[in-house]
Amino acid sequence: MSTLNTALLQRCGFYSLVTLACLASGAPLHAEEAQLSTVETRASSLQTLNRPGYQFFSRTDLERRFANLSEFLSQINGIQVQQLSGLGNPALISIRGATAQQTKVLINGIENADAQNGGYDLNQLPISQIDSIEISQDGSSNGYADRAIGGTINIITRKTKSNSQFGIQAGSYGTYRASLSQQTARNINIQLEHEQSDNNYLYPVASPAFDSQNRNNKEALNNAGFSRQSVQVNSGSEELTARLRLSQQKKNIPDYYRNHPDNSAYLSERNAVLELNGEQSLSSMQQQWRIGHSQRFENFRNTLGLIGLSQNDNRYRYEKNYLSASNKKTWTQWQHRIDLKFSEETYRSDYRLDNDSKRCLTPQGNCDAFSFQRSTSIGSQFNWNSKSQQQQAYIDIYRQNTSDISRQRYAIADERTQSNAFIGAAIGYLWYSDRSDWSLTWKRAARTPTLYERYGNHGLFLSNPDLQQEISNTLTLNSLWHITEKMQISGSAFYRDLDNAIVPVYDARGIGRYENTSQAILTGIEWNAAYCADYWFGTLSGSHYDSLTTSEIRSFDEKKLPGTYHTSLKASTGFNISKHHIESSVEYSDDLYIDRSNLIEGEARALINLSYRYQATDHEAGLRIINISNNRFLDFTNRPTTGREWLIFLNTRF
């Protein structure tokens, strides 16, 4: 079997997305894509593209079949995307039952969840600006360390040298997207993107504004539109590159309860990122460094006060400075890596319509706040490979220190500080044979409370400066069986215990604060079977979790963890005939709990998707239909989803 087909079948075994396994029978690969595909994955070091617990996706995997990053990641077994209804709403990520705050999203190796609120909206970065994605679920890594409780997703943005490309999409509910990537002289690449949607899907309004007796009447949502524009410029050489990204967006906020036609509330954002990257090689040593600055300005306006409790004109400002450096040395069977990361973040709020926000005299009122967090991490990794390349082992040890400050923005006297230190580690052993690949890993990780969880907002959430870190220990066994050259089966089993779980607790007045009130145990089994013929492929995968919480609060004791589907089944199939590609997928997920007390059980998620793509050498066009059966189940916020969606697209390279 050729090296190319071996690599493609490896992808077929590790992923629930396997249509690329049949690319050899259809579209040609570009030079950079072919280079990735020819890596021999069966006999490799820890720099291998594919192995149990680690997944790699090139740009080809992304751009041809998916509208955004959340749609792509939701197809992967073991990953759940907590997508709120409608384009522009946040899309958070969960890996193996962990919360969005316990899952790390890195952009070029730098964590992007802000210290104030935690989590990262996957749809902030357009798919046209992504070069590749690495996913680590169990502590194994490929040049970076997975030090998250749940797992880590590392998104690599597009480099300076890439093909020029133009794409356009149009779909249901007034959805439009257009992207342009242009290679210019002197190693400068410019990427432009625009997307918008009316989001005016039918929604069962609880009490319509002018017909309150007609409860749950389905109406097209008013004031639900969204638009985003972004530009990214990359410039430099192989040793030194610079990236500048600017974006702005506006998300109108509908009145879900009354759907009032005069509602004009919205949340707008302006983002800027400037980053410098360096890479040098000398003999057996390789140095990398990255320095950057990012800013985000948010404005929540609700001048008519038709949603929420009052009128609002609130401004929020986030700033982050970061630096990372690593040195990797390789000799014979060994590899040693030292990495250092430093970041500092600031947050400022300004409630412009609240006269008391500067003095902060009302306990349940708004209060202009200033928060600051500094974080440093230093780690050391050792990797070992046997001479026969049939065994691998690694160990990662690191120390992380965080310190934060919070105070009223215009008063220094009440300044509160907190510091945390944590030593984490990951150990893994991997071994291979002609018919199977195995890995056994252990990971100890922590999550620092967000500034919002620790210091509240001086309103409906009170502060708790004594809030401690969440700490987890996870043991994972991964395996892959090569049944035939065209069929592979993979499986994973894991056990995770979580101490100091952070949960919100409310009093009789409805005022809450976050506390370390419970422990939790999560066990799970994930499996995937894939078959790839010359013109046909099929996959079947599933994840099955069981969880149990232990808490001093009776209503939280011996409950299931909320926010994750405990059972999920996915299947996909497709045909590649000449230039025609047809794919379909089915998903069924159940056993979701909305609250900690398990009083509200979420609805089952059932989706049937279909796509057709016609692909020539440099052009492609197609149609995607999501949720063909128009199933209006409730999402993670206990609100109905958008239902059936369709999208036509055209891409061309030049």
Side-chain angles (χ1 to χ4, degrees):
M1 183 172 59
S2 68
T3 305
L4 175 59
N5 286 335
T6 299
L8 291 174
L9 285 175
Q10 281 290 89
R11 292 183 178 185
C12 184
F14 279 108
Y15 309 151
S16 60
L17 304 172
V18 297
T19 52
L20 287 181
C22 303
L23 278 179
S25 63
L29 293 171
H30 294 286
E32 60 179 354
E33 295 161 357
Q35 182 179 1
L36 290 173
S37 298
T38 54
V39 174
E40 180 61 64
T41 59
R42 288 300 311 282
S44 63
S45 68
L46 284 176
Q47 300 307 309
T48 299
L49 293 183
N50 305 315
R51 65 176 180 273
Y54 174 83
Q55 298 168 306
F56 176 90
F57 300 94
S58 70
R59 175 159 181 77
T60 306
D61 303 340
L62 303 170
E63 65 180 348
R64 294 180 175 176
R65 305 190 314 280
F66 300 96
N68 50 52
L69 182 58
S70 62
E71 184 183 329
F72 168 75
L73 291 174
S74 65
Q75 307 296 308
I76 302 174
N77 193 33
I79 291 182
Q80 296 179 17
V81 176
Q82 300 175 354
Q83 172 70 66
L84 309 184
S85 298
L87 184 65
N89 286 320
L92 304 178
I93 191 73
S94 170
I95 295 181
R96 290 186 172 172
T99 66
Q101 289 80 11
Q102 295 169 349
T103 302
K104 288 187 178 181
V105 177
L106 313 179
I107 308 294
N108 297 322
I110 300 296
E111 187 172 356
N112 267 260
D114 65 76
Q116 176 65 18
N117 299 304
Y120 177 75
D121 182 4
L122 295 173
N123 293 331
Q124 286 286 334
L125 191 62
I127 223 169
S128 63
Q129 297 177 9
I130 299 175
D131 184 73
S132 60
I133 297 177
E134 302 169 284
I135 301 175
S136 176
Q137 296 178 317
D138 60 3
S140 58
S141 60
N142 191 56
Y144 71 96
D146 169 20
R147 295 165 179 171
I149 289 176
T152 298
I153 297 176
N154 188 27
I155 302 171
I156 309 299
T157 58
R158 297 189 70 177
K159 304 298 189 294
T160 56
K161 294 182 179 180
S162 59
N163 296 323
S164 297
Q165 179 176 326
F166 173 75
I168 188 169
Q169 302 176 1
S172 54
Y173 311 122
T175 299
Y176 301 96
R177 293 186 181 91
S179 63
L180 173 66
S181 177
Q182 177 65 51
Q183 184 72 36
T184 64
R186 298 183 180 181
N187 292 330
I188 298 177
N189 182 268
I190 301 176
Q191 298 144 26
L192 305 173
E193 174 120 351
H194 170 81
E195 61 179 331
Q196 67 180 61
S197 178
D198 295 332
N199 287 325
N200 56 349
Y201 56 93
L202 293 179
Y203 185 87
V205 180
S207 180
F210 303 118
D211 189 10
S212 60
Q213 301 301 318
N214 193 7
R215 299 185 61 84
N216 295 319
N217 182 47
K218 291 184 178 180
E219 300 179 0
L221 274 180
N222 296 314
N223 195 57
F226 167 77
S227 64
R228 178 192 288 131
Q229 301 80 36
S230 65
V231 57
Q232 181 168 280
V233 181
N234 297 280
S235 178
S237 61
E238 293 184 359
E239 294 185 347
L240 180 64
T241 60
R243 180 174 75 102
L244 172 65
R245 183 174 185 270
L246 304 173
S247 68
Q248 65 177 15
Q249 69 179 50
K250 180 182 179 182
K251 176 64 179 74
N252 294 339
I253 302 176
D255 177 6
Y256 290 103
Y257 186 73
R258 296 182 301 166
N259 200 29
H260 201 290
D262 296 332
N263 173 40
S264 59
Y266 68 83
L267 177 66
S268 63
E269 291 185 21
R270 290 183 290 123
N271 296 271
V273 177
L274 177 61
E275 190 174 81
L276 297 177
N277 304 277
E279 182 174 345
Q280 295 81 36
S281 298
L282 178 62
S283 183
S284 60
M285 297 182 64
Q286 182 178 9
Q287 293 86 31
Q288 293 180 321
W289 58 268
R290 183 172 289 110
I291 185 172
H293 173 78
S294 64
Q295 293 183 349
R296 184 168 89 250
F297 302 90
E298 295 182 352
N299 180 204
F300 172 55
R301 288 183 63 87
N302 178 29
T303 55
L304 297 180
L306 292 176
I307 65 173
L309 301 177
S310 62
Q311 296 178 336
N312 294 275
D313 183 8
N314 308 335
R315 312 290 174 89
Y316 311 99
R317 178 173 178 173
Y318 306 80
E319 292 186 67
K320 182 176 183 178
N321 298 303
Y322 54 87
L323 169 67
S324 69
S326 67
N327 181 78
K328 181 173 62 179
K329 180 177 177 58
T330 304
W331 64 96
T332 60
Q333 301 174 351
W334 293 87
Q335 183 184 100
H336 179 227
R337 175 187 174 96
I338 297 178
D339 62 84
L340 172 67
K341 294 183 179 181
F342 169 83
S343 67
E344 58 179 21
E345 302 178 55
T346 58
Y347 164 79
R348 297 176 178 87
S349 63
D350 183 9
Y351 297 90
R352 299 166 66 89
L353 298 184
D354 190 334
N355 295 328
D356 187 48
S357 63
K358 289 183 172 58
R359 295 182 299 169
C360 304
L361 298 179
T362 305
Q364 297 184 34
N366 293 316
C367 179
D368 294 336
F370 169 84
S371 298
F372 173 84
Q373 185 178 92
R374 176 175 291 138
S375 176
T376 59
S377 175
I378 183 169
S380 179
Q381 297 172 276
F382 283 94
N383 302 326
W384 167 81
N385 302 325
S386 68
K387 292 183 179 180
S388 63
Q389 296 184 335
Q390 296 296 305
Q391 299 180 71
Q392 302 176 15
Y394 68 86
I395 181 171
D396 173 36
I397 301 176
Y398 63 95
R399 178 183 174 92
Q400 180 171 313
N401 293 82
T402 58
S403 60
D404 49 57
I405 298 171
S406 182
R407 59 174 170 81
Q408 298 176 12
R409 185 172 178 179
Y410 301 101
I412 303 178
D414 67 338
E415 186 171 271
R416 293 170 291 183
T417 63
Q418 181 68 266
S419 298
N420 292 106
F422 176 76
I423 296 178
I427 301 173
Y429 177 63
L430 304 89
W431 65 99
Y432 307 114
S433 66
D434 292 337
R435 287 294 180 182
S436 62
D437 304 342
W438 296 81
S439 71
L440 180 63
T441 65
W442 169 80
K443 176 174 64 172
R444 175 177 169 83
R447 179 181 81 86
T448 301
T450 66
L451 296 173
Y452 175 79
E453 290 171 331
R454 182 167 278 167
Y455 299 113
N457 66 349
H458 302 273
L460 295 181
F461 265 94
L462 302 178
S463 64
N464 183 5
D466 298 326
L467 202 61
Q468 300 299 307
Q469 293 177 318
E470 293 181 313
I471 299 176
S472 73
N473 289 275
T474 304
L475 184 65
T476 306
L477 176 65
N478 298 304
S479 60
L480 170 69
W481 294 276
H482 311 277
I483 307 302
T484 67
E485 291 186 351
K486 297 182 178 181
M487 183 175 182
Q488 295 182 352
I489 299 175
S490 61
S492 298
F494 68 93
Y495 172 91
R496 178 190 304 139
D497 66 73
L498 180 66
D499 291 327
N500 297 330
I502 298 174
V503 298
V505 178
Y506 298 86
D507 62 20
R509 301 168 295 170
I511 299 175
R513 73 173 192 165
Y514 289 92
E515 296 184 358
N516 298 113
T517 60
S518 65
Q519 297 176 321
I521 294 176
L522 178 68
T523 58
I525 296 176
E526 299 172 352
W527 54 273
N528 182 69
Y531 179 84
C532 298
D534 293 334
Y535 301 101
W536 173 83
F537 74 89
T539 66
L540 183 63
S541 60
S543 59
H544 312 274
Y545 304 146
D546 188 23
S547 60
L548 182 66
T549 61
T550 302
S551 174
E552 296 177 357
I553 300 177
R554 185 174 180 180
S555 61
F556 295 165
D557 191 35
E558 296 186 352
K559 304 295 183 181
K560 303 289 186 181
L561 286 172
T564 185
Y565 289 104
H566 284 65
T567 300
S568 181
L569 297 172
K570 300 176 182 179
S572 63
T573 187
F575 299 88
N576 297 322
I577 303 175
S578 183
K579 299 179 180 180
H580 304 275
H581 306 265
I582 301 175
E583 303 175 27
S584 64
S585 63
V586 179
E587 176 187 347
Y588 178 83
S589 300
D590 204 353
D591 299 330
L592 169 69
Y593 299 93
I594 305 298
D595 64 328
R596 290 278 181 176
S597 300
N598 295 175
L599 298 177
I600 305 176
E601 187 170 355
E603 293 186 353
R605 172 185 173 93
L607 292 174
I608 302 175
N609 305 324
L610 179 66
S611 67
Y612 166 78
R613 175 166 49 94
Y614 176 85
Q615 183 175 336
T617 303
D618 293 319
H619 314 282
E620 60 191 11
L623 167 69
R624 283 196 299 273
I625 304 177
I626 301 173
N627 194 3
I628 293 177
S629 60
N630 198 31
N631 185 14
R632 299 295 302 275
F633 56 88
L634 302 181
D635 62 16
F636 288 90
T637 62
N638 214 28
R639 291 175 180 161
T641 57
T642 56
R644 184 186 300 112
E645 300 178 77
W646 59 268
L647 193 72
I648 57 175
F649 59 91
L650 172 66
N651 297 316
T652 182
R653 302 172 183 84
F654 53 92

